[in-house]
């Protein structure tokens, strides 16, 4: 997805003839006849330069430009110009014109971080160079005069004027006919304001430090084969930006997503709505309150303690210590089942349940599934007051999706040299039994109900076995939807970087819409199944195994962060999680 700055020399035979011809026409018409420098052009430039007392004019041939790119600086001095000519002559003596032009097109800078025509074609037009149209080729050739002044994104009018000059030059040199020029001028290519694969750069940045260590001693170009599925990643990026824009009126400005398969392969990762505006990876680095998306850990502890979805409880006022949790909606439902309590995200029931089974037990269950961040054990922890990342929530929820196994998320399958030598191969995915039955099947049943008739109805996908949990924090500062089908878990978060509240955004509104927009495409792209029943084994004791960190290569032993008390909220404060979505949610 990302390589070194320069690509291998371009194979001109694989490009339409008009692509290299556009560059020759506008940059160096006598390219195929001169010995590396253009004497006529240099004579004209010399007259102008003598008048200014410095090397102001260009007149550099393509070969000279390549020589400067390879060996020299861009300082405009007569001495440097002379050295440039010498190097250009040497290049012409050693390489063919085709080789020189191919190397030139692989190294020249097109602006917007794109070096080489392949990178430029992908950056501006989201296509390989072999599929460039005549007008698109002319637009790229127009950038050679100044990637800043003729950038089609920032300077569309100047780009169009310069492109027309390139098209004129292509007609004059016989590269295209007048009719082809007219047709090209009438076209309006789609220019991408941001790179089409920009969302994937969050993932690439995350991989980069570890990958660099692995290939530090490599003497050839390397190919890193990742777990990311690019079409799925693009769908994630589009869903993030579109949903954030849709709910911008409600003060939503950021989003993050992590999607894992059953073995922990990262299939999509989005760290924000616009990588070019902010490269901060919220999927991995942002610690935010989990809200009601934390409640499945509470209910897991209850199921492992012998309760069932049909266990009757009472939604009524409750006080634990000096804290009295409140529900999202006013009033109380009275006697209800645990399944109904989770589906409607009743805060009083979750708080009392955690108090009964033991908050340290809930914390240990969360740690066992993959939560690495510090976990508080004050009474409000049942409502998701601990700070977590989307990455670790995805790891934890994956156990609900894959039959009860703890996974270590990873992003690299193998690394090899361009010649085929294997440098690294990911070990078999590590899966540790973490949830037994009946607890797993009971919890999955309850989370199906969340989607079927509870707070997560907007995440439902007809024809697919979907389960999950919404999450909303106090003052609407964070909103989550953590959901799954068999073999694919996706966690999304939405909020603001400044931690300011959104306007009424709950986990069942914008995050559920974001999750649905992504997953409705992902389930058609990736292999998914019904949610597996899991092992027919008793529920496991809440032990804490070696932690699995967010390493791109898979599991890595780490010390477990602390589990302990945090200051209890004042008795008069609103609980930090309001997980029940209003019955009527604007979609």
């Amino acid at each position: 997805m990302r390589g070194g700055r320069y690509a291998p020399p371009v194979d001109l035979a694989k490009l339409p003839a008009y692509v290299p011809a556009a560059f020759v026409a506008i940059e160096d018409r006598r390219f195929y006849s001169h010995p590396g420098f253009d004497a006529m052009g240099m004579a004209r430039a010399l007259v102008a330069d003598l008048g200014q007392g410095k090397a102001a004019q260009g007149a550099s041939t393509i070969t000279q430009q390549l020589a400067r790119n390879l060996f020299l600086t861009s300082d405009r001095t007569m001495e440097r110009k002379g050295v440039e000519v010498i190097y250009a002559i040497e290049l012409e003596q050693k390489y063919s014109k085709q080789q020189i032009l191919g190397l030139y097109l692989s190294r020249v800078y097109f602006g917007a971080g794109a070096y080489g025509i392949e990178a430029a074609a992908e950056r501006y037009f989201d296509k390989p160079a072999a599929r460039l149209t005549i007008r698109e080729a002319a637009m790229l050739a127009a950038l050679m005069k100044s990637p800043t002044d003729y950038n089609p994104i920032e300077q569309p009018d100047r780009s169009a004027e310069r492109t027309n000059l390139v098209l004129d030059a292509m007609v004059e040199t016989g590269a295209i006919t007048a009719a082809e020029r007219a047709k090209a001028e009438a076209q309006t290519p789609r220019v991408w304001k941001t790179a089409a694969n920009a969302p994937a750069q969050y993932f690439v940045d995350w991989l980069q430090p570890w990958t660099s260590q692995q290939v530090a001693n490599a003497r050839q170009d390397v190919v890193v084969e990742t777990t990311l599925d690019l079409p799925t990643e693009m769908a994630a990026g589009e869903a993030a930006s579109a949903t954030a824009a849709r709910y911008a009126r409600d003060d939503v400005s950021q989003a993050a997503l992590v999607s894992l398969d059953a073995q922990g392969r990262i299939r999509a990762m989005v760290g924000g709505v616009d990588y070019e505006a902010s490269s901060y990876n919220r999927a991995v680095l942002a610690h935010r309150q989990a809200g009601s998306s934390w409640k499945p850990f509470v209910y897991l502890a209850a199921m492992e303690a012998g309760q069932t979805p049909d266990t009757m409880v009472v939604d009524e006022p409750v006080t634990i210590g000096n804290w009295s949790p409140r529900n999202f909606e006013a009033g109380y439902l009275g006697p209800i089942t645990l399944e109904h309590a989770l589906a409607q995200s009743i805060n009083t029931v979750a708080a009392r349940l955690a108090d009964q089974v033991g908050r340290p037990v809930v914390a240990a269950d969360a740690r066992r599934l993959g939560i690495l961040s510090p976990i508080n054990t004050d009474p409000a922890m049942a409502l998701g007051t601990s700070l977590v990342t989307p990455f670790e929530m995805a790891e934890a929820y994956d156990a609900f999706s894959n039959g009860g196994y703890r996974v270590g998320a990873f992003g690299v399958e193998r690394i090899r040299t361009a010649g085929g030598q294997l440098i690294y191969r990911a070990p078999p995915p590590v899966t540790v039994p973490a949830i037994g039955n009946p607890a797993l099947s009971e919890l999955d049943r309850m989370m199906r109900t969340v989607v079927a008739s509870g707070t997560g109805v907007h995440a439902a996908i007809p024809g697919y076995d979907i389960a999950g949990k919404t999450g909303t924090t106090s003052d609407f500062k964070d909103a989550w939807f953590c959901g799954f089908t068999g073999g694919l878990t996706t966690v999304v978060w939405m909020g603001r970087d400044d931690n300011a509240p959104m306007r009424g955004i709950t986990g069942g509104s914008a995050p559920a819409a974001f999750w649905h927009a992504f997953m409705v495409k992902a389930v058609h792209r990736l292999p998914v199944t019904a949610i597996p029943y899991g092992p027919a084994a008793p529920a496991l004791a809440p032990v804490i195994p070696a932690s699995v960190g967010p390493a791109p290569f898979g599991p890595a032993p780490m010390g477990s962060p602390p589990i302990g008390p945090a200051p209890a909220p004042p008795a008069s404060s609103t609980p930090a999680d309001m997980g029940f979505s209003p019955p009527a949610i604007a979609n």
Side-chain angles (χ1 to χ4, degrees):
M1 301 190 58
R2 176 189 292 166
R5 171 176 287 189
Y6 303 118
V10 172
D11 185 351
L12 300 185
K14 295 181 179 180
L15 299 178
Y18 54 74
V19 173
F23 292 83
V24 171
I26 196 66
E27 290 293 302
D28 187 2
R29 292 193 185 187
R30 285 183 283 273
F31 172 71
Y32 289 104
S33 60
H34 64 61
F37 64 96
D38 183 352
M40 293 177 60
M42 291 184 67
R44 288 194 302 270
L46 181 61
V47 173
D49 292 346
L50 289 174
Q52 297 186 37
K54 60 179 181 179
Q57 295 223 354
S60 291
T61 65
I62 284 176
T63 314
Q64 287 175 257
Q65 292 179 50
L66 177 60
R68 181 169 64 245
N69 189 300
L70 291 171
F71 308 118
L72 303 169
T73 69
S74 58
D75 295 338
R76 288 187 171 182
T77 65
M78 292 185 180
E79 291 81 5
R80 196 270 296 157
K81 196 73 165 180
V83 176
E84 178 183 289
V85 170
I86 294 173
Y87 280 138
I89 294 172
E90 291 179 352
L91 285 172
E92 292 275 353
Q93 292 174 345
K94 188 171 183 178
Y95 300 103
S96 69
K97 290 288 187 179
Q98 295 294 93
Q99 289 174 317
I100 291 171
L101 186 54
L103 186 55
Y104 168 81
L105 289 176
S106 73
R107 298 180 69 89
V108 71
Y109 184 54
F110 289 86
Y115 289 84
I117 194 166
E118 282 294 343
E122 293 288 351
R123 170 60 188 85
Y124 291 109
F125 306 116
D126 189 30
K127 61 173 64 174
R131 290 174 48 203
L132 289 170
T133 66
I134 292 174
R135 184 173 180 83
E136 289 167 345
M139 289 174 70
L140 294 183
L143 286 164
M144 296 301 94
K145 185 173 179 64
S146 173
T148 300
D149 293 339
Y150 300 101
N151 186 302
I153 301 168
E154 304 295 336
Q155 303 287 345
D157 292 339
R158 298 190 69 179
S159 170
E161 292 175 3
R162 181 70 179 171
T163 297
N164 286 338
L165 291 178
V166 176
L167 291 172
D168 290 339
M170 293 175 73
V171 173
E172 293 167 4
T173 57
I176 59 175
T177 66
E180 288 173 324
R181 186 214 180 282
K183 183 178 179 181
E185 186 178 7
Q187 295 174 343
T188 305
R190 179 183 180 183
V191 179
W192 291 74
K193 291 186 177 181
T194 58
N197 65 347
Q201 297 310 310
Y202 291 107
F203 175 79
V204 175
D205 287 349
W206 175 68
L207 290 179
Q208 190 70 40
W210 178 83
T211 304
S212 297
Q213 290 181 350
Q214 301 301 306
V215 303
N217 298 322
R219 297 186 177 182
Q220 300 181 40
D221 290 337
V222 298
V223 177
V224 179
E225 299 177 24
T226 75
T227 60
L228 206 71
D229 182 73
L230 193 55
T232 303
E233 174 71 6
M234 297 302 99
E238 291 170 3
S241 58
T243 308
R246 176 181 171 188
Y247 288 92
R249 64 184 182 277
D250 297 313
D251 295 328
V252 176
S253 62
Q254 277 300 345
L257 175 149
V258 178
S259 190
L260 308 178
D261 73 7
Q263 289 77 42
R265 294 179 182 85
I266 299 172
R267 310 302 277 167
M269 175 189 285
V270 174
V273 298
D274 186 344
Y275 178 83
E276 293 191 2
S278 171
S279 61
Y280 178 71
N281 191 339
R282 296 155 189 84
V284 175
L285 302 175
H287 287 76
R288 309 292 295 232
Q289 283 193 349
S292 280
S293 63
W294 183 266
K295 287 178 182 173
F297 306 135
V298 176
Y299 282 78
L300 173 61
M303 297 301 104
E304 291 180 338
Q307 302 197 48
T308 74
D310 299 316
T311 298
M312 295 299 298
V313 292
V314 180
D315 174 23
E316 61 184 355
V318 60
T319 297
I320 302 172
N322 64 349
W323 176 63
S324 298
R326 303 171 188 172
N327 292 328
F328 182 76
E329 287 198 332
Y332 301 94
L333 300 179
I336 55 175
T337 65
L338 284 181
E339 182 171 6
H340 187 69
L342 181 63
Q344 303 304 328
S345 205
I346 304 301
N347 286 340
T348 59
V349 172
R352 177 179 285 149
L353 203 59
D355 193 53
Q356 290 173 348
V357 300
R359 290 183 294 277
V361 174
V362 175
D365 276 0
R367 179 79 70 234
R368 189 176 79 216
L369 297 187
I371 301 301
L372 301 178
S373 298
I375 302 172
N376 70 66
T377 54
D378 64 36
M381 72 88 74
L383 308 186
T385 55
S386 295
L387 304 181
V388 294
T389 67
F391 186 98
E392 58 191 328
M393 288 294 279
E395 278 195 328
Y397 267 73
D398 214 25
F400 304 141
S401 162
N402 67 13
Y405 294 93
R406 164 75 184 277
V407 302
F410 65 103
V412 174
E413 294 280 13
R414 61 186 62 82
I415 304 174
R416 56 181 174 81
T417 66
Q421 180 183 357
L422 186 66
I423 296 177
Y424 168 84
R425 183 191 300 274
V430 175
T431 54
V432 179
I435 312 174
N437 271 314
L440 174 63
S441 59
E442 291 172 338
L443 190 59
D444 283 347
R445 166 187 156 182
M446 289 191 286
M447 285 194 280
R448 285 187 181 98
T449 304
V450 171
V451 175
S453 59
T455 60
V457 292
H458 294 296
I461 302 175
Y464 287 87
D465 189 10
I466 303 295
K469 186 67 189 75
T470 54
T472 314
T473 59
S474 62
D475 298 326
F476 303 100
K477 292 180 178 179
D478 299 283
W480 301 72
F481 189 81
C482 307
F484 52 92
T485 187
L488 189 64
T489 298
T490 299
V491 166
V492 304
W493 164 88
M494 302 193 79
R496 295 174 59 89
D497 286 340
D498 60 7
N499 207 33
M502 298 173 287
R503 280 203 262 186
I505 294 298
T506 66
S509 59
F514 174 16
W515 190 93
H516 180 274
F518 165 72
M519 283 290 284
V520 77
K521 294 182 179 179
V523 295
H524 291 291
R525 170 76 186 176
L526 303 174
V528 297
T529 65
I531 299 169
Y533 180 77
L540 301 177
V543 296
I544 305 175
S547 301
V548 179
F553 48 92
M558 296 176 61
S560 294
I563 298 174
S572 61
S573 69
T574 300
D577 180 46
M578 301 178 293
F580 180 67
S581 305
I585 299 175
N587 247 341

